[in-house]
Amino acid sequence: MIKATQKTACDLVFHHHPRIGAMALMASFVVSSCSAFAQTAALVKAGSAEREGLYEDAIGDYKAILKQFPSSREARLGLAQNQARLGYCAEAADVLRKGVWPTEESVQQQQWLGVCDFETGDAEKAIAELTKVIEVMPRDKWLRISLARAFAINGDYQDSIDSLNGWLAQNGNDADVLYWIGKFYEELSEQTFERMVKEDPNNYLVLQI
């Protein structure tokens, strides 16, 4: 009944007072346009601070934008990125998880979530997020290294090695990737030796070392 009454009121305005209806539409358009312009101008200001390396200033700008425009995905992502750059990874992850992301934009959210979760030591979440992103961005070296390091947090060094070897198979040798493979092999060797000592301290290999 309320909806019907509201519709009737709108009909009355447009049919019996067309000039008032047109003015109302124009006012609504002007308010919407001004709001969009204000948001764009604020994003440009925040982006400028970010490019100049003024990450604290950019964080303040993006927070101000979100306060006025809480649904701004650009501001939410910008805030999280700059927080992560300054090491505020827990805060960045919280900001990202509070956002609503359409499918085409979710990759960036998952990418930064994965990095932030890794930096805060939450290996399980980091592995879940980074695995999703790598399906879309399989050639990104640093994402693959982050995933391998997340596996290593859990002591899954073989998974770390396998993940990086998979990247090498697609992209060829790379000094950074080879470095981390070597490092994980060292960790895997120590892990294997410790398990060997625990299971059979009299093993001849243990005694030789």
Side-chain angles (χ1 to χ4, degrees):
M1 185 65 184
I2 294 175
K3 290 183 178 178
T5 303
Q6 289 173 338
K7 184 177 179 182
T8 302
C10 289
D11 288 341
L12 285 171
V13 170
F14 282 100
H15 290 298
H16 298 287
H17 304 283
R19 291 188 64 185
I20 294 176
M23 289 173 66
L25 278 176
M26 180 64 72
S28 175
F29 173 76
V30 169
V31 170
S32 176
S33 298
C34 288
S35 177
F37 177 79
Q39 183 176 348
T40 301
L43 286 169
V44 169
K45 180 175 178 288
S48 178
E50 184 177 339
R51 286 189 295 275
E52 292 176 16
L54 304 173
Y55 302 130
E56 289 287 4
D57 290 348
I59 287 172
D61 290 337
Y62 284 125
K63 282 183 176 179
I65 296 169
L66 281 176
K67 187 173 182 179
Q68 188 174 1
F69 306 100
S71 63
S72 173
R73 292 189 294 273
E74 296 91 339
R76 188 170 296 279
L77 183 61
L79 173 58
Q81 287 174 337
N82 285 281
Q83 286 175 324
R85 288 187 178 107
L86 292 179
Y88 309 141
C89 287
E91 294 89 337
D94 185 57
V95 167
L96 289 168
R97 288 197 167 92
K98 286 180 178 176
V100 178
W101 307 89
T103 303
E104 63 273 15
E105 293 181 20
S106 64
V107 172
Q108 284 184 301
Q109 180 233 16
Q110 290 168 347
Q111 176 182 351
W112 283 95
L113 265 178
V115 171
C116 289
D117 287 332
F118 166 72
E119 292 294 341
T120 54
D122 194 333
E124 293 299 332
K125 286 183 180 177
I127 290 168
E129 297 293 348
L130 290 171
T131 299
K132 293 176 188 175
V133 179
I134 286 170
E135 289 177 0
V136 182
M137 304 167 64
R139 291 186 177 275
D140 191 298
K141 176 176 71 175
W142 295 109
L143 285 178
R144 190 66 67 101
I145 289 174
S146 294
L147 175 61
R149 293 178 68 188
F151 281 130
I153 291 176
N154 281 350
D156 299 326
Y157 299 112
Q158 190 60 59
D159 288 338
S160 300
I161 294 166
D162 291 344
S163 178
L164 292 179
N165 277 331
W167 188 91
L168 287 178
Q170 292 180 322
N171 300 282
N173 287 342
D174 178 89
D176 295 311
V177 174
L178 289 171
Y179 164 80
W180 282 105
I181 288 176
K183 188 171 180 63
F184 294 138
Y185 267 122
E186 289 179 9
E187 298 289 348
L188 181 60
S189 176
E190 290 183 17
Q191 185 185 67
T192 303
F193 179 73
E194 289 172 2
R195 186 167 61 244
M196 188 188 303
V197 171
K198 185 176 180 180
E199 292 175 357
D200 185 6
N202 295 317
N203 186 294
Y204 77 97
L205 290 174
V206 174
L207 296 175
Q208 279 186 345
I209 296 174

